Amino acid sequence: MKQSYFGEFGGQFAPEILMHSLLELESAYNYHKDDKTFNAELESLLKSYANRPSLLYYARRMSEDLGGAKIYLKREDLNHTGSHKINNVLGQALLAKKMGKTRLIAETGAGQHGVATATAAALMGMECDIFMGKEDTLRQELNVYRMKLLGARVHAVTSGTATLKDAVNEAMRMWSSTLQDTHYVIGSAVGPHPFPTIVRNLQAVISREIKEQILELEKRLPDVVLACVGGGSNAIGAFYHFIDNREVSLIGVEAAGHGIESKDSAATLNVGKVGIFHGMKSYFCQDFYGQIAPVYSISAGLDYPGVGPEHAFLFETKRAQYVAVTDKQAVEAFEYLSKTEGIIPAIESAHALAYAIQIAPKLEGKIIVVNLSGRGDKDCMSIARYRGENINE
């Protein structure tokens, strides 16, 4: 199919008002992605500013405690701003500057993408507007303050479920009225073409580094690569350079919330159906009438009712497996890694860790790499509340 599709998924289902900007973005990206000057600038930013390459860390105590597989953690939590989001944002912000844009706008769920976008805007002297669901601003107060501290205007979205889906809607609405001077930095591998491809290519630095690092450390490829999946940017970044290595199992871990049998879930590929939303054809959580259904997860970064089109393609072709982990399992993994390795993971990343904890004892002699997509400072308050602890005492 066309370049804008992954099998039958993807496309450019956008209103006419956005088509010129999407074509402009595609043209600019196709030029600059092969431009030596652009790539040298981006590589310099990733190395000197974002702190790449990120470490591939052998979780010795976790591996010994669980038995079975050796577990490595790809430490995206050590990047500047505390997650994988900076990889994509620096690339898109640099591209926006080359296009003559003066303002960045973005949606954010857990706030990590918003913080990364506000950071890049401050670095490059650009204006910045961030849209965040009102519900998520309450769950992620620390990141709201960080964005404001960096100079961004944070807009609390009260429409719909007041979460990530609605933040995307509002960001697209603002973009459509400010196209001339504004670039919309989509944070996940979702949306109309060319966004899923751009985000994938910018996040693919993760799997490129994993492959180089594990070959140096173990002299072979891993048996399993694990990553959490909301829209899917960290996972597609961790998977990409292993897609052609069929001996490597790729496992995406979705947010089951209170369980995939309940209505309180965000496990799109486990419970969703094919549809068109936010400019793309993919899988989405839908109600009986085909309307986008409310979703839920303890993780603000995973409660999106869809998934990126490349993940839908990997799911349909069975190249990757997609499983679901509940809030309870994710919180237990959050606490386990903290106490076992002294690493506090983002609650998003804890979903992937929870599944690693399940399968590691059964994989004697195998190697598992878990993409630790972010750090968990932002989640400590909400996990304390989940546990019924009064941290003010």
Side-chain angles (χ1 to χ4, degrees):
M1 274 196 171
K2 295 186 298 181
Q3 180 186 2
S4 59
Y5 282 84
F6 305 92
E8 68 173 290
F9 302 103
Q12 203 171 58
F13 299 89
E16 186 176 351
I17 193 171
L18 293 181
M19 289 305 298
H20 175 76
S21 289
L22 290 170
L23 293 172
E24 177 192 31
L25 175 62
E26 182 178 9
S27 176
Y29 179 69
N30 285 337
Y31 174 79
H32 287 292
K33 71 181 176 64
D34 297 319
D35 178 63
K36 290 182 180 178
T37 302
F38 177 86
N39 286 313
E41 286 183 62
L42 179 56
E43 284 297 317
S44 177
L45 284 170
L46 290 172
K47 181 178 180 180
S48 63
Y49 191 72
N51 199 33
R52 301 209 71 88
S54 65
L55 297 177
L56 186 65
Y57 168 75
Y58 173 45
R60 182 181 304 277
R61 293 196 69 236
M62 183 178 178
S63 299
E64 291 174 353
D65 181 62
L66 294 171
K70 293 181 73 172
I71 300 171
Y72 284 86
L73 306 178
K74 181 58 170 165
R75 297 293 305 277
E76 295 298 293
D77 60 310
L78 297 179
N79 294 345
H80 180 45
T81 73
S83 80
H84 71 291
K85 295 294 188 180
I86 195 72
N87 307 326
N88 167 52
V89 167
L90 286 175
Q92 286 202 51
L94 185 61
L95 180 62
K97 287 286 281 189
K98 300 289 186 185
M99 294 170 67
K101 307 299 182 182
T102 58
R103 179 168 63 160
L104 302 178
I105 63 173
E107 87 295 335
T108 195
Q112 293 298 84
H113 176 59
V115 169
T117 303
T119 298
L123 175 68
M124 298 186 187
M126 304 174 80
E127 290 186 64
C128 186
D129 287 271
I130 306 294
F131 292 85
M132 190 173 191
K134 178 70 173 178
E135 178 68 23
D136 293 337
T137 64
L138 300 175
R139 290 195 280 185
Q140 301 292 343
E141 293 174 281
L142 175 60
N143 276 342
V144 172
Y145 178 72
R146 292 171 74 197
M147 287 182 272
K148 291 179 177 178
L149 182 64
L150 290 158
R153 293 176 289 267
V154 180
H155 306 269
V157 177
T158 57
S159 59
T161 56
T163 55
L164 183 56
K165 165 182 70 73
D166 311 290
V168 174
N169 292 341
E170 292 301 318
M172 283 190 168
R173 189 171 291 118
M174 173 175 270
W175 189 36
S176 68
S177 64
T178 57
L179 296 170
Q180 188 170 356
D181 66 353
T182 301
H183 174 64
Y184 179 15
V185 187
I186 287 186
S188 198
V190 300
H193 177 76
F195 282 110
T197 297
I198 291 174
V199 175
R200 188 274 313 281
N201 288 347
L202 292 170
Q203 292 293 1
V205 65
I206 300 171
S207 53
R208 187 185 77 204
E209 290 178 5
I210 292 173
K211 182 174 276 192
E212 293 169 353
Q213 292 165 326
I214 200 69
L215 286 172
E216 182 177 348
L217 291 165
E218 294 284 350
K219 312 304 180 196
R220 69 179 185 89
L221 295 179
D223 298 285
V224 179
V225 176
L226 270 169
C228 64
V229 177
S233 64
N234 94 90
I236 204 63
F239 292 173
Y240 184 65
H241 286 289
F242 293 105
I243 289 173
D244 292 335
N245 300 111
R246 307 292 297 192
E247 69 275 22
V248 180
S249 296
L250 307 176
I251 304 177
V253 186
E254 297 189 305
H258 294 151
I260 58 173
E261 304 81 11
S262 74
K263 292 183 179 179
D264 295 327
S265 167
T268 304
L269 288 169
N270 282 269
V271 303
K273 295 178 290 186
V274 175
I276 294 172
F277 185 57
H278 282 161
M280 62 180 174
K281 181 179 181 183
S282 189
Y283 273 79
F284 300 95
C285 296
Q286 302 173 53
D287 65 17
F288 177 78
Y289 299 100
Q291 298 298 308
I292 298 301
V295 293
Y296 162 78
S297 168
I298 192 172
S299 161
L302 300 183
D303 63 354
Y304 181 67
V307 69
E310 192 163 6
H311 284 295
F313 175 69
L314 294 176
F315 171 73
E316 283 279 349
T317 58
K318 296 182 168 52
R319 177 60 190 97
Q321 176 188 1
Y322 295 85
V323 299
V325 157
T326 65
D327 286 356
K328 181 176 182 293
Q329 292 168 313
V331 169
E332 288 172 352
F334 176 92
E335 295 167 338
Y336 177 84
L337 190 70
S338 300
K339 293 171 183 175
T340 305
E341 292 287 348
I343 299 169
I344 303 173
I347 191 62
E348 291 79 16
S349 313
H351 285 71
L353 288 163
Y355 196 70
I357 290 168
Q358 289 181 41
I359 66 173
K362 307 169 190 173
L363 297 177
E364 184 68 39
K366 304 294 187 182
I367 297 172
I368 297 173
V369 175
V370 180
N371 193 36
L372 199 68
S373 57
R375 67 179 182 228
D377 309 51
K378 66 184 178 60
D379 299 306
C380 289
M381 296 280 283
S382 60
I383 300 303
R385 286 193 292 267
Y386 176 88
R387 288 300 194 194
E389 295 181 23
N390 185 348
I391 61 174
N392 295 316
E393 288 183 350

